[in-house]
Amino acid sequence: MIDFNEKKGFMCDMDGVLYHGGQLLPGVPEFIEWLQEEKKEYLFLTNNSSMTPRELQQKLARMGLEVPEEHFYTSALATAAFLAEHYPGCTAFVIGDAGLLNALYDVGVTMNDVDPDVVVVGESSVYNLATLTKAVNLILGGAKLIGANSDITGPIEGGIMPGCRALVAPIEMATGVQAYFCGKPNPLMMRTGLRRLGCHSGEAVMIGDRMDTDVISGMESGMSTVLVLSGVSTAETMKTFAYRPSVMLSGVGDIPVIAQRQKEGEEA
């Protein structure tokens, strides 16, 4: 069991951990209240590239949760940081929504649908055959293929939706080119998160609902890991992986309860 009172920093996935679509999950208000009262450093991560940190902050506010904007980090920001470092001043053809476009604009990436340096794909509400065809031919013309994240699906109210990896797959198949994905489990995103927390990996916990992104990214970064069963992975699907989380819980609301018991045990 992780001693949650000793840990200084918490990185927490959002989709399937804090909410499903517009539905807040049980125990989330208590978890956030515990983080804030115990003065923990925390960062909410999402592989979904469609929303900006401010939009995520406002989304939680509509659910009654007050979390400052600086506590959010997205795969769109990770993608922008990667391009700023490896393709400074590049041009891009982008299939994605406001979160991705804004992040790219902020680091000086300009849009180009004629001869871009890169094709960038994230979650998109305007994904269609025309944009897919454009992306394929630009890549065949020499553009590099970048994906915001490698999630195949994402949880929504009442089911799942195709994730970024599912949107990139037809482009890879048509071109024979493999995409580079910037979000979890890419360690670049985790290292940035640890720097923002001001924590060493041994002092931090990664909480998520997916074995293939959240748990593996935390484990490979040296953090303790918590798998919550409120999203994609289940106790049964967990058994198909060669690695394990440090702890498996029903939801994040269990953490303050466990932390209180641990504290009472120490005092006794």
Side-chain angles (χ1 to χ4, degrees):
M1 175 61 68
I2 302 167
D3 188 332
F4 292 111
N5 296 298
E6 287 188 350
K7 296 297 183 179
K8 296 180 180 179
F10 289 77
M11 280 194 266
C12 183
D13 186 43
M14 298 183 68
D15 306 307
V17 179
L18 302 183
Y19 53 71
H20 282 169
Q23 182 67 44
L24 194 68
L25 289 168
V28 172
E30 292 80 4
F31 171 62
I32 294 177
E33 181 180 5
W34 177 80
L35 289 172
Q36 295 171 342
E37 286 185 350
E38 295 296 320
K39 299 186 179 347
K40 302 293 187 182
E41 299 295 332
Y42 64 96
L43 194 62
F44 292 145
L45 306 180
T46 177
N47 256 358
N48 192 314
S49 65
S50 62
M51 300 178 74
T52 65
R54 179 169 295 182
E55 288 169 335
L56 291 168
Q57 183 268 328
Q58 292 172 347
K59 178 173 182 173
L60 288 191
R62 289 192 295 271
M63 298 178 186
L65 302 175
E66 294 301 326
V67 178
E69 186 179 335
E70 62 267 21
H71 289 281
F72 298 92
Y73 192 66
T74 73
S75 68
L77 296 175
T79 303
F82 171 79
L83 291 177
E85 180 178 355
H86 294 278
Y87 297 91
C90 71
T91 64
F93 176 70
V94 181
I95 301 175
D97 290 338
L100 183 57
L101 291 166
N102 286 357
L104 297 179
Y105 277 126
D106 285 345
V107 298
V109 176
T110 53
M111 302 301 113
N112 179 350
D113 64 355
V114 178
D115 56 353
D117 301 302
V118 294
V119 170
V120 183
V121 182
E123 287 78 8
S124 174
S125 57
V126 294
Y127 184 91
N128 55 43
L129 182 59
T131 56
L132 177 64
T133 302
K134 170 69 77 172
V136 165
N137 285 285
L138 291 174
I139 291 164
L140 292 175
K144 306 301 183 184
L145 178 58
I146 308 295
N149 65 77
S150 58
D151 286 2
I152 298 175
T153 62
I156 57 173
E157 294 177 67
I160 61 171
M161 64 178 291
C164 180
R165 183 71 179 83
L167 304 185
V168 170
I171 301 173
E172 291 180 320
M173 293 177 68
T175 62
V177 173
Q178 296 297 303
Y180 180 78
F181 295 99
C182 298
K184 297 175 294 179
N186 190 323
L188 292 173
M189 190 170 183
M190 308 311 294
R191 287 201 294 268
T192 300
L194 287 169
R195 285 197 300 270
R196 292 183 63 161
L197 288 176
C199 293
H200 297 296
S201 58
E203 302 171 320
V205 179
M206 177 65 206
I207 306 164
D209 69 310
R210 300 182 68 116
M211 289 290 291
D212 57 344
T213 54
D214 303 317
V215 171
I216 192 172
S217 61
M219 181 192 70
E220 292 183 346
S221 299
M223 291 185 280
S224 299
T225 57
V226 176
L227 176 70
V228 293
L229 303 179
S230 52
V232 173
S233 292
T234 67
E236 286 303 311
T237 59
M238 184 191 74
K239 296 176 183 177
T240 65
F241 294 89
Y243 51 91
R244 293 288 184 269
S246 306
V247 177
M248 183 172 64
L249 302 174
S250 61
V252 291
D254 291 345
I255 292 175
V257 175
I258 293 169
Q260 182 61 35
R261 289 175 182 166
Q262 290 171 333
K263 185 179 292 187
E264 291 171 354
E266 292 171 1
E267 291 173 352

